[in-house]
Amino acid sequence: MKKDHPSSADLSQYGRLAEYNRKRRFGVTPEPKGKLGQGKKTSLEFVVQKHRASRLHYDFRLEHDGVMLSWAVPKGPSIDPSHKRFAMQTEDHPIEYNQFEGVIPEGEYGGGTVMIWDRGTWDPEVADVDKALAKGDLKFRLHGKKLSGSWVLVRMRPRQWLLIKHRDDAAATEDITAAKSRSVASRRSLAGIARKAGASARQLAQAEEADKAAPS
Ligand code: MN
């Protein structure tokens, strides 16, 4: 069957998650194997995962076309509209990944502790998400526990974007990553998650250090 969108990267059933699957050994990591989401949904999910890998960063993910579009944000999202947060686009993730909180073993891709820092639903503020992504200017609304209101992702260079809060009632100068540092899923800190998942002593120490680091 012919595809009417030649720009689509879906060359096989798991095409959009091929890179995700290629980077991981599912017999070793507790992360979910990449499968594409099925069918029409009434709402679109978003998640922000706080991840102490080789460095602390926040993985910002928006559901689109059966996968989670993903960006690694080193400083994390800011609800202050004067902050432009660098966001490096990474490989699409499976929707099931939104449930993942735990520890990726040492030596594996992204090894370290992962926290579900925020989650909820999102709505595009554009008529066509694919066109907005191609243009490099995606406006959207978040409905999370910590993040809400209107936002924009603007592409500077290939894969390099800025995540910016628009001015609205949900904007503030509060440092949200410091003020609300715990998991929305378990209320645990990174160290609490690491301890429960049986992290190595080194990973536990890194999680404790990341909990103490007050960004900005
Ligand atoms: Mn990550």
Side-chain angles (χ1 to χ4, degrees):
M1 210 166 48
K2 252 189 202 169
K3 291 260 169 158
D4 41 4
H5 296 294
S7 64
S8 165
D10 293 35
L11 298 174
S12 72
Q13 192 186 357
Y14 300 115
R16 291 191 66 155
L17 292 172
E19 187 182 355
Y20 172 89
N21 282 333
R22 184 169 49 72
K23 285 178 168 171
R24 289 167 176 81
R25 298 193 295 163
F26 295 102
V28 183
T29 179
E31 297 164 290
K33 192 165 196 307
K35 298 192 196 91
L36 294 176
Q38 306 286 322
K40 286 274 179 202
K41 294 177 67 185
T42 51
S43 60
L44 298 168
E45 297 181 31
F46 93 90
V47 71
V48 182
Q49 282 156 317
K50 185 173 173 179
H51 183 190
R52 203 315 182 171
S54 50
R55 305 177 46 179
L56 177 65
H57 62 275
Y58 292 73
D59 290 301
F60 183 83
R61 312 189 199 280
L62 298 175
E63 180 185 351
H64 178 61
D65 273 356
V67 297
M68 299 304 292
L69 304 176
S70 298
W71 290 263
V73 184
K75 290 186 171 178
S78 173
I79 59 172
D80 183 336
S82 71
H83 293 165
K84 295 172 170 58
R85 289 291 162 87
F86 181 72
M88 175 65 81
Q89 193 168 8
T90 59
E91 77 274 18
D92 296 338
H93 275 52
I95 295 171
E96 306 93 278
Y97 204 90
N98 299 354
Q99 312 304 320
F100 179 69
E101 181 170 274
V103 173
I104 301 167
E106 283 200 56
E108 297 305 304
Y109 180 72
T113 307
V114 177
M115 171 198 288
I116 300 172
W117 181 77
D118 197 17
R119 65 182 171 191
T121 61
W122 75 283
D123 300 314
E125 290 186 311
V126 294
D128 186 326
V129 173
D130 285 312
K131 272 188 193 155
L133 289 167
K135 201 175 137 203
D137 187 343
L138 176 63
K139 295 181 174 69
F140 55 95
R141 297 190 72 80
L142 296 178
H143 313 279
K145 290 262 165 60
K146 298 174 185 176
L147 304 181
S148 56
S150 179
W151 295 72
V152 64
L153 273 161
V154 186
R155 188 171 56 227
M156 304 283 99
R157 283 181 208 86
R159 302 187 83 83
Q160 299 181 23
W161 300 65
L162 296 174
L163 174 65
I164 308 163
K165 180 78 194 75
H166 281 145
R167 291 184 193 281
D168 61 16
D169 290 348
T173 54
E174 178 189 39
D175 181 349
I176 189 93
T177 55
K180 297 183 176 173
S181 62
R182 285 176 177 261
S183 167
V184 292
S186 66
R187 307 308 306 161
R188 290 192 171 93
S189 62
L190 278 172
I193 293 162
R195 215 172 281 118
K196 181 174 175 271
S200 67
R202 183 163 156 270
Q203 287 184 318
L204 180 55
Q206 288 172 339
E208 282 169 344
E209 177 203 314
D211 284 330
K212 272 180 237 156
S216 91

